[in-house]
Amino acid sequence: MSATEIVVFDLETTGLSPEKDAVVEIGAVRVVNGAVAEHLKYETLVRPTTPDGAPMRIPWHAQRVHGITDEMVRDAPTIGEVLPDFLDWVGGRAVVAHNIGFDGGFMRANARRLGLEWNPAAELCTVKLSRRAFPKERAHNLTVLAERLGLTFAPGGRHRSFGDVQVTAQAYLQLMELLAVQA
């Protein structure tokens, strides 16, 4: 593992609570030596379960955001099947997410429930970097940040994990450059 290798990741979920809601999709890509390595990606749908492992339906309000339906995840693996593999894929590297508190919170809660450890080398947040790079701006959501940096989402990519990850990775690199921090 290179010291200049990080993982940018994004989750789609059934709601906002890491303690009550479930992950329905994980997308990630590695950034190696300051460049997005599209061939080093992780992408999977996840069949949602309650914290005690019972099947969970995806609420309509969550489906409206990300478009992931119960039918789409019917044959997908559960978080218990996916998370050990994903943690191995991350491998202790530093991670980046847009609003790391949200995504990291879901990772910590699920790892804890499964007796695993969410232990990245560091957790970096593109929302916080955006606030530092653009202190006079009020909005720092991913759509606004992408527009501000001249980035576009692939068709159907917004609010799907890998589509958001592709933009977040590019935003991270641009923000680090704007802030004159070595990526």
Side-chain angles (χ1 to χ4, degrees), residues 3 26 32 38-39 45-46 51 105 132 147 162 164 175:
I26 299 173
V32 180
E38 292 277 347
H39 66 286
L45 289 169
V46 180
R132 282 182 44 209
E147 289 172 9
F162 196 70
D164 286 356
L175 289 165

Side-chain angles (χ1 to χ4, degrees), residues 111-129:
R112 184 179 58 251
R113 275 194 289 275
L114 295 167
L116 303 170
E117 280 191 48
W118 170 247
N119 195 23
E123 290 185 353
L124 304 166
C125 183
T126 51
V127 172
K128 290 178 182 177
L129 293 172

Side-chain angles (χ1 to χ4, degrees), residues 51-73:
D52 64 0
M56 175 188 279
R57 295 186 59 96
I58 302 171
W60 66 270
H61 56 84
Q63 290 182 37
R64 280 187 30 204
V65 173
H66 49 59
I68 299 169
T69 65
D70 291 324
E71 179 66 22
M72 292 168 67
V73 298

Side-chain angles (χ1 to χ4, degrees), residues 7-12 27 95-105 123-131 134 138-149 151 153 158-159 161 163-172 175:
V7 171
V8 180
F9 80 104
D10 181 73
L11 306 176
E12 299 303 330
V95 296
V96 174
H98 196 76
N99 190 4
I100 191 69
F102 178 83
D103 297 278
E123 290 185 353
L124 304 166
C125 183
T126 51
V127 172
K128 290 178 182 177
L129 293 172
S130 178
R131 288 181 179 140
F134 305 105
R138 295 186 71 167
H140 298 278
N141 67 59
L142 190 55
T143 300
V144 169
L145 180 59
E147 289 172 9
R148 193 173 289 142
L149 296 174
L151 302 171
F153 292 89
R158 182 67 178 111
H159 291 297
S161 289
D164 286 356
V165 157
Q166 290 173 307
V167 169
T168 301
Q170 291 299 329
Y172 168 75
L175 289 165

